[in-house]
Amino acid sequence: MNLNSNFQLLKESYLFAEVGARVRRYSEENPDKKVIRMDIGDVTLPIPAAIGDALDGAVKDMLSSSTFHGYGPEQGYAFLREKIVEADYAARGVQLGADEVFVSDGAKCDVGNLTDIFGKDVIVGVPNPVYPVYVDSNIMCGRTVENGGIRYIECDRENEYKPVVPGEKLDVIYLCSPNNPTGTVLDKEELKEWVDYAKEHKSLIIFDSAYEAFVQDPTLPKSIYEIEGAKEVAIEVRSFSKTAGFTGLRCGYTVVPKELKGTMADGSEVELRKLWLRRQTTKFNGASYLSQRGAEAVYSPKGSAEVKANIDYYIRNSSILHDGVTALGLKAIGGKNSPYVWIQAPNGLTSWEMFDLLLQRCQLSCTPGSGFGSNGEGCIRLTGFNSFENTKLAVERLADLRL
Ligand code: MLT
């Protein structure tokens, strides 16, 4: 049987799998040394009590024949979609219908699965550095940098790697703000430039706002739909993972507005929402009733206060990391409106050399910047997701290293 040989074009292993394997190997060889994990962006605080109560309630529902839930709606339960529309969008002046929201088991899956609705010949544009899922999921479809299916969008290091609107036409553009991995945030003017570009070129923007909850500056946008006209050009992907501690529970959502249309090979104009609905009803049976009840509790008064306290905790950590490494003379960005801090390695070290140095000398694990693309070479990413105590310890160990 023939296999999808595009997989041969991928790197041997996924970035975070490779980092995890190296950290495990180090820990096995050095059982007395405790590594502070600041590589993958995985949350560490337990889920808020309000969400736990909602999960308990959902389990009870499942135990009684009168409240039991079997297959749910593929698009997600209305009780959750209505809360999303109200609290995440209407509250910020964005009007959406609940039928434009598709609840899923996480942003990563949606971002990868969206390639199902692209035409075969589209050219996708990705910033550099970039979250590897955007690139790898397109490589799996046969698009590569070498065959022109993937183009890197110029990112200016001096301007915190913010992607620069290109002169050429790209069909699909991936934007992530607050950015993974650099932690920078596009402001309204910068986002408007992209919306205008997409309108002019009839392009689609996939806007990944998985980290919107970390935005502290009230002038910065959390959703691309805060920009006028964006509903005609953008799909937005969001997640409860980092916002509310759902990395293990799994729940996220994707917004596909009705205004968003594309063209079929026969020239007919079709709503992307209809294609995505068709795709989801065919290949997906919905996120679990339990996780959707848990996600609903994120919007309750108690739940939202508890979620905010967790976000504040992580942001304090990332801010400590940013300020701590900056005080040591290292160049760092991010960490203020994002859990990620992006640091330039000193003395010309490569990303993996810096990774090895931090692991062996500080027992601190990071993500090598080169894993996010060639522009990330010479940088590393740390996260604010560990504990406050470990974050302070990490800065102390870095100081002792005298880089
Ligand atoms: C990251 O560390 O970049 C993220 O945790 C990866 C993800 O959300 O899939």
Side-chain angles (χ1 to χ4, degrees):
M1 182 205 124
N2 284 337
L3 296 173
N4 180 351
S5 42
N6 295 326
F7 277 68
Q8 290 178 310
L9 306 170
L10 294 165
K11 290 205 184 98
E12 183 62 24
S13 62
Y14 182 60
L15 173 63
F16 295 104
E18 173 66 23
V19 168
R22 290 195 190 203
V23 174
R24 266 193 308 282
R25 203 176 316 131
Y26 176 83
S27 296
E28 277 159 25
E29 287 164 6
N30 301 275
D32 54 319
K33 301 211 164 115
K34 180 127 185 51
V35 177
I36 301 176
R37 297 288 302 256
M38 289 190 170
D39 47 271
I40 193 165
D42 196 3
V43 290
T44 51
L45 292 171
I47 49 161
I51 296 171
D53 292 344
L55 292 174
D56 278 346
V59 169
K60 287 201 184 85
D61 287 348
M62 296 302 261
L63 292 171
S64 158
S65 54
S66 61
T67 49
F68 170 76
H69 284 71
Y71 287 130
E74 292 92 344
Q75 215 177 320
Y77 286 99
F79 64 73
L80 178 56
R81 287 185 288 121
E82 278 158 15
K83 286 270 164 37
I84 289 169
V85 159
E86 190 188 303
D88 289 347
Y89 292 101
R92 293 188 71 83
V94 176
Q95 304 309 323
L96 286 172
D99 56 350
E100 293 169 297
V101 175
F102 294 77
V103 174
S104 71
D105 55 354
K108 179 180 181 174
C109 322
D110 283 353
V111 162
N113 293 333
L114 278 166
T115 54
D116 276 3
I117 65 168
F118 301 170
K120 262 201 165 57
D121 302 331
V122 296
I123 295 174
V124 307
V126 291
N128 180 4
V130 72
Y131 180 42
V133 175
Y134 312 155
V135 174
D136 286 0
S137 56
N138 276 288
I139 292 178
M140 289 175 189
C141 301
R143 286 176 209 107
T144 62
V145 173
E146 291 70 25
N147 69 20
I150 298 175
R151 303 262 169 92
Y152 280 116
I153 300 168
E154 189 192 327
C155 289
D156 186 356
R157 208 178 247 233
E158 296 314 309
N159 187 27
E160 304 195 332
Y161 303 87
K162 289 183 176 176
V164 180
V165 173
E168 62 176 348
K169 174 178 159 64
L170 300 170
D171 299 299
V172 181
I173 297 126
Y174 288 85
L175 296 177
C176 179
S177 179
N179 189 263
N180 181 11
T182 63
T184 56
V185 189
L186 295 174
D187 66 26
K188 285 190 179 158
E189 288 70 37
E190 288 158 342
L191 263 190
K192 185 178 178 315
E193 279 184 42
W194 279 105
V195 169
D196 290 346
Y197 169 90
K199 276 187 168 172
E200 186 190 334
H201 296 279
K202 296 193 183 309
S203 316
L204 167 68
I205 297 174
I206 309 282
F207 189 70
D208 181 349
S209 62
Y211 299 93
E212 55 79 26
F214 294 86
V215 171
Q216 309 291 300
D217 178 345
T219 65
L220 292 172
K222 285 170 168 261
S223 163
I224 193 164
Y225 304 127
E226 289 176 49
I227 311 302
E228 210 189 314
K231 285 196 216 165
E232 291 157 42
V233 293
I235 288 178
E236 180 159 295
V237 185
R238 286 200 181 185
S239 166
F240 292 98
S241 286
K242 322 292 155 105
T243 309
F246 274 59
T247 52
L249 278 171
R250 310 304 306 151
C251 198
Y253 66 88
T254 285
V255 177
V256 191
K258 288 186 184 127
E259 288 91 330
L260 184 54
K261 300 191 174 108
T263 315
M264 291 295 190
D266 65 5
S268 57
E269 209 178 48
V270 174
E271 278 182 26
L272 269 66
R273 188 185 144 272
K274 292 198 172 144
L275 259 63
W276 186 240
L277 180 63
R278 186 68 176 83
R279 190 262 170 220
Q280 292 297 78
T281 49
T282 305
K283 295 194 181 179
F284 184 56
N285 262 334
S288 80
Y289 174 68
L290 266 61
S291 70
Q292 292 191 64
R293 278 293 183 204
E296 181 192 23
V298 169
Y299 300 100
S300 68
K302 184 165 182 265
S304 57
E306 290 173 339
V307 160
K308 182 177 179 312
N310 286 2
I311 298 283
D312 290 349
Y313 179 88
Y314 294 135
I315 277 287
R316 181 169 64 148
N317 288 348
S318 53
S319 199
I320 287 172
L321 281 175
H322 174 277
D323 296 349
V325 297
T326 306
L328 296 175
L330 297 177
K331 227 172 147 189
I333 56 173
K336 300 292 178 179
N337 292 288
S338 153
Y340 296 130
V341 183
W342 182 255
I343 303 163
Q344 179 118 37
N347 312 321
L349 291 174
T350 67
S351 301
W352 280 106
E353 284 168 352
M354 183 74 171
F355 171 90
D356 286 336
L357 183 75
L358 296 191
L359 187 58
Q360 277 152 30
R361 303 265 307 276
C362 303
Q363 290 75 54
L364 176 61
S365 67
C366 64
T367 307
S370 56
F372 297 100
S374 55
N375 268 359
E377 181 57 275
C379 296
I380 57 151
R381 191 196 74 178
L382 292 179
T383 91
F385 286 123
N386 212 303
S387 67
F388 174 64
E389 292 70 25
N390 278 345
T391 302
K392 284 199 306 185
L393 191 57
V395 174
E396 279 165 29
R397 288 185 186 173
L398 284 167
D400 289 344
L401 197 57
R402 296 186 193 286
L403 285 163

